Amino acid sequence: MIHEIYNKMGIDNKVIDFCNDIEKNLKERFNDIDTIAEYNQLKVIKAMQDNKVSDACFAATTGYGYNDMGRDTLEDVYASIFHCEAALVRPQLTCGTHALTIALSGNLRPGDELLSPVGKPYDTLESVIGIRPANGSLAEYGVSYRQVDLLSDGSFDYEGIKRAINEKTKLVTIQRSKGYATRPTLSVEKIGELIAFIKNIKPDVICMVDNCYGEFVETIEPSDVGADMCVGSLIKNPGGGLAPIGGYIVGTKQCVENAACRLTCPGLAKEVGATLGINQSLYQGLFLSPVVVAGALKGAIFAANIYEKLGYKVVPDSTEPRYDIIQSVVLRSPEAIIEFCKGIQKAAPVDSFVTPEPWAMPGYDSDVIMAAGAFVQGSSIELSADAPIKEPYAVYFQGGLTWYHSKLGIINSLQHLVNAGIVTF
Ligand SMILES: *Cc1c(COP(=O)(O)O)cnc(C)c1O
């Protein structure tokens, strides 16, 4: 029966059988993922109970949004989950880059220095920081930037970091996920070690973690190991696929207050910001997120095992522990990454009939091809694949609101490579 419906969707028996054999060997790993999901599900429910989430929290506010109980309670729920003093969780944070920008610009002042001890940050942050000159960058406001690259084995350059910290260093930005790079993703434990090292040298420095794609992958978050702020996007993990927009900043009361003064304005801070009726989606998405993240992780591990078996370099590899939901597959040619993305697109519930094409996306320094048939535009907790059209021709694959959809997408990506003659059995 299963073969029949896969056949109807254009998948050959050879491809299904190859993939199912791989899945059979992943039972133990999938079990481990389910255990983490169970823990995080309970953590989220407990936070909702402790903060007395009620039906009244789902009511819409408009205009100034004064006394938006749903918004304020949701921020308390986020603060509880991340074990932080405060949170800013807003639809007015338009995306992850914006949330990071608000966290940075709210907490940095002219003359301060920003340090990244984990190499070059995510592409879109280059314009924000001013690594790539841009209108309105932190550099234009007199904030300088310093970077210490990871060592060639992916570990921290502790000597270099020590040398880089100076009297101007105000904020350290640590990106948990690899993003569009082939460096390893950092475990929360590793992030904790880095923060402890930095705080030992300069105790009052603000340690911020770009937590995009990392939420609920482990049972602890960077705020459990000393981060002063964690920042992320609601159209990634913690929105559970239901949040239609938004970002979050959790952390110390002061850091969050500083960010809120930048998001709205000095004096108004967290007091304004109507939620226009989307609160229920933000709560319900957060509630589902641990299970959605588990499905996405299973998809990532499934893809790693399939493509590694076919002789491609995959990061992380088939057996490595996971610290984010991203899987990269180095497909070695533009044709292969385009076919992979077409396969993902064709497996989508939405826009399955369109063909993805590379384009010059704002904020990126090369053409990028993106496959996504999403209910929420650009949502990358939904099954999606992105690939910058540049060496080493790696595709970055993530998401899937259900494991079965992730599985179909990966199988279909392989079918496309087979159809194009790039993979032969
Ligand atoms: C996605 C992502 C961002 C930016 O988020 P957008 O919502 O795309 O603006 C920043 N950092 C990392 C590591 C990301 O994965």
Short mmCIF file of all heavy atoms in Angstrom, two decimals, residues 94-98 100 122 124-125 175-179 210-213 233 235-236 326 364 380, ligand 1:
data_model
loop_
_atom_site.label_atom_id
_atom_site.label_comp_id
_atom_site.label_asym_id
_atom_site.label_seq_id
_atom_site.Cartn_x
_atom_site.Cartn_y
_atom_site.Cartn_z
N THR A 94 10.27 41.21 13.08
CA THR A 94 9.78 40.69 11.79
C THR A 94 10.46 39.40 11.33
O THR A 94 9.94 38.70 10.48
CB THR A 94 9.95 41.75 10.68
OG1 THR A 94 11.34 42.10 10.63
CG2 THR A 94 9.11 42.97 10.96
N CYS A 95 11.66 39.14 11.84
CA CYS A 95 12.36 37.91 11.45
C CYS A 95 13.54 37.72 12.42
O CYS A 95 13.75 38.55 13.31
CB CYS A 95 12.88 38.00 10.00
SG CYS A 95 14.04 39.36 9.71
N GLY A 96 14.28 36.66 12.24
CA GLY A 96 15.40 36.39 13.14
C GLY A 96 16.47 37.48 13.07
O GLY A 96 16.99 37.92 14.11
N THR A 97 16.77 37.90 11.86
CA THR A 97 17.79 38.95 11.69
C THR A 97 17.36 40.22 12.43
O THR A 97 18.17 40.89 13.09
CB THR A 97 17.98 39.28 10.20
OG1 THR A 97 18.31 38.07 9.51
CG2 THR A 97 19.10 40.29 10.00
N HIS A 98 16.06 40.54 12.36
CA HIS A 98 15.56 41.73 13.04
C HIS A 98 15.68 41.58 14.56
O HIS A 98 16.11 42.50 15.25
CB HIS A 98 14.11 41.98 12.61
CG HIS A 98 13.55 43.27 13.11
ND1 HIS A 98 12.21 43.46 13.33
CD2 HIS A 98 14.15 44.44 13.45
CE1 HIS A 98 12.01 44.69 13.79
NE2 HIS A 98 13.19 45.30 13.86
N LEU A 100 17.79 39.80 16.19
CA LEU A 100 19.22 39.93 16.53
C LEU A 100 19.66 41.39 16.45
O LEU A 100 20.41 41.88 17.30
CB LEU A 100 20.07 39.07 15.58
CG LEU A 100 19.95 37.57 15.84
CD1 LEU A 100 20.35 36.76 14.60
CD2 LEU A 100 20.84 37.16 17.02
N TYR A 122 26.18 34.65 10.67
CA TYR A 122 25.20 34.40 9.60
C TYR A 122 25.21 35.53 8.57
O TYR A 122 25.31 36.71 8.93
CB TYR A 122 23.83 34.29 10.27
CG TYR A 122 22.74 33.74 9.40
CD1 TYR A 122 22.69 32.39 9.11
CD2 TYR A 122 21.74 34.57 8.90
CE1 TYR A 122 21.66 31.87 8.33
CE2 TYR A 122 20.71 34.06 8.13
CZ TYR A 122 20.68 32.71 7.84
OH TYR A 122 19.66 32.21 7.07
N THR A 124 23.23 37.40 6.80
CA THR A 124 22.46 38.65 6.88
C THR A 124 22.99 39.59 7.96
O THR A 124 22.73 40.79 7.91
CB THR A 124 20.96 38.38 7.16
OG1 THR A 124 20.86 37.62 8.37
CG2 THR A 124 20.31 37.59 6.03
N LEU A 125 23.74 39.05 8.91
CA LEU A 125 24.27 39.91 9.98
C LEU A 125 25.48 40.74 9.52
O LEU A 125 25.86 41.69 10.19
CB LEU A 125 24.64 39.07 11.20
CG LEU A 125 23.43 38.56 11.97
CD1 LEU A 125 23.86 37.67 13.11
CD2 LEU A 125 22.58 39.71 12.51
N GLN A 175 27.02 32.33 17.76
CA GLN A 175 26.01 31.68 16.92
C GLN A 175 26.05 30.18 17.17
O GLN A 175 27.05 29.52 16.94
CB GLN A 175 26.31 32.00 15.46
CG GLN A 175 25.26 31.49 14.51
CD GLN A 175 25.58 31.88 13.07
OE1 GLN A 175 25.82 33.05 12.78
NE2 GLN A 175 25.63 30.92 12.19
N ARG A 176 24.92 29.67 17.65
CA ARG A 176 24.83 28.24 18.00
C ARG A 176 24.87 27.36 16.74
O ARG A 176 25.62 26.40 16.66
CB ARG A 176 23.52 28.01 18.77
CG ARG A 176 23.24 26.57 19.16
CD ARG A 176 22.04 26.54 20.10
NE ARG A 176 21.57 25.21 20.44
CZ ARG A 176 20.51 24.96 21.21
NH1 ARG A 176 19.82 25.99 21.72
NH2 ARG A 176 20.13 23.72 21.47
N SER A 177 24.07 27.73 15.76
CA SER A 177 23.93 26.90 14.55
C SER A 177 24.99 27.27 13.52
O SER A 177 25.46 28.40 13.48
CB SER A 177 22.55 27.13 13.97
OG SER A 177 22.47 26.58 12.68
N LYS A 178 25.32 26.33 12.67
CA LYS A 178 26.30 26.63 11.63
C LYS A 178 25.77 27.60 10.59
O LYS A 178 26.54 28.28 9.94
CB LYS A 178 26.76 25.35 10.94
CG LYS A 178 25.69 24.63 10.14
CD LYS A 178 26.31 23.45 9.44
CE LYS A 178 25.69 22.10 9.72
NZ LYS A 178 24.48 21.94 10.47
N GLY A 179 24.43 27.70 10.44
CA GLY A 179 23.89 28.55 9.39
C GLY A 179 24.37 28.06 8.04
O GLY A 179 24.45 26.85 7.81
N ASP A 210 22.88 33.64 19.34
CA ASP A 210 21.95 33.50 18.22
C ASP A 210 21.50 32.05 18.25
O ASP A 210 22.24 31.14 17.90
CB ASP A 210 22.69 33.83 16.91
CG ASP A 210 21.83 33.55 15.68
OD1 ASP A 210 20.74 32.97 15.83
OD2 ASP A 210 22.27 33.91 14.57
N ASN A 211 20.26 31.86 18.72
CA ASN A 211 19.75 30.51 19.01
C ASN A 211 18.95 29.92 17.85
O ASN A 211 18.33 28.87 18.00
CB ASN A 211 18.88 30.60 20.28
CG ASN A 211 18.84 29.32 21.07
OD1 ASN A 211 19.77 28.51 21.01
ND2 ASN A 211 17.78 29.12 21.84
N CYS A 212 18.97 30.59 16.71
CA CYS A 212 18.18 30.13 15.55
C CYS A 212 18.45 28.66 15.23
O CYS A 212 19.61 28.26 15.13
CB CYS A 212 18.51 30.97 14.32
SG CYS A 212 17.73 32.59 14.33
N TYR A 213 17.41 27.91 15.06
CA TYR A 213 17.43 26.49 14.70
C TYR A 213 17.84 25.57 15.84
O TYR A 213 17.89 24.35 15.67
CB TYR A 213 18.36 26.20 13.51
CG TYR A 213 17.86 26.70 12.19
CD1 TYR A 213 18.66 27.47 11.37
CD2 TYR A 213 16.58 26.38 11.74
CE1 TYR A 213 18.21 27.93 10.13
CE2 TYR A 213 16.12 26.83 10.52
CZ TYR A 213 16.94 27.60 9.71
OH TYR A 213 16.50 28.04 8.50
N SER A 233 13.99 33.20 15.93
CA SER A 233 12.87 33.50 15.04
C SER A 233 11.69 32.59 15.32
O SER A 233 11.87 31.40 15.57
CB SER A 233 13.33 33.31 13.59
OG SER A 233 12.22 33.24 12.73
N ILE A 235 9.47 31.88 13.07
CA ILE A 235 9.15 31.04 11.91
C ILE A 235 10.22 29.97 11.73
O ILE A 235 10.36 29.35 10.69
CB ILE A 235 8.85 31.84 10.62
CG1 ILE A 235 10.03 32.64 10.13
CG2 ILE A 235 7.63 32.73 10.82
CD1 ILE A 235 9.86 33.18 8.71
N LYS A 236 10.97 29.74 12.81
CA LYS A 236 11.82 28.57 12.93
C LYS A 236 11.28 27.76 14.13
O LYS A 236 10.08 27.81 14.40
CB LYS A 236 13.28 28.96 13.08
CG LYS A 236 13.82 29.61 11.79
CD LYS A 236 15.24 30.03 11.90
CE LYS A 236 15.71 30.64 10.57
NZ LYS A 236 17.05 31.25 10.72
N ILE A 326 19.62 21.67 11.15
CA ILE A 326 20.09 21.82 9.78
C ILE A 326 20.96 20.64 9.36
O ILE A 326 21.81 20.17 10.11
CB ILE A 326 20.93 23.10 9.62
CG1 ILE A 326 20.10 24.31 10.04
CG2 ILE A 326 21.40 23.27 8.18
CD1 ILE A 326 20.82 25.61 9.90
N TYR A 364 22.24 38.37 1.00
CA TYR A 364 23.17 37.27 0.73
C TYR A 364 24.15 37.69 -0.37
O TYR A 364 23.79 38.46 -1.25
CB TYR A 364 22.40 36.01 0.32
CG TYR A 364 21.53 35.47 1.44
CD1 TYR A 364 20.24 35.95 1.63
CD2 TYR A 364 22.01 34.53 2.34
CE1 TYR A 364 19.44 35.50 2.66
CE2 TYR A 364 21.21 34.06 3.38
CZ TYR A 364 19.93 34.54 3.53
OH TYR A 364 19.15 34.08 4.56
N SER A 380 11.21 28.22 7.86
CA SER A 380 12.18 27.14 7.68
C SER A 380 12.11 26.11 8.80
O SER A 380 12.98 25.27 8.91
CB SER A 380 13.59 27.71 7.49
OG SER A 380 13.87 28.66 8.47
C1 LIG B 1 17.86 32.03 10.10
C2 LIG B 1 19.01 32.52 10.87
C3 LIG B 1 19.17 33.88 11.12
C4 LIG B 1 18.30 34.94 10.52
O1 LIG B 1 16.97 34.70 10.60
P1 LIG B 1 15.95 35.27 9.52
O2 LIG B 1 14.65 34.96 10.16
O3 LIG B 1 16.17 34.52 8.25
O4 LIG B 1 16.18 36.72 9.37
C5 LIG B 1 20.24 34.25 11.90
N1 LIG B 1 21.10 33.35 12.37
C6 LIG B 1 20.98 32.05 12.13
C7 LIG B 1 21.99 31.09 12.67
C8 LIG B 1 19.93 31.58 11.37
O5 LIG B 1 19.80 30.29 11.13
#
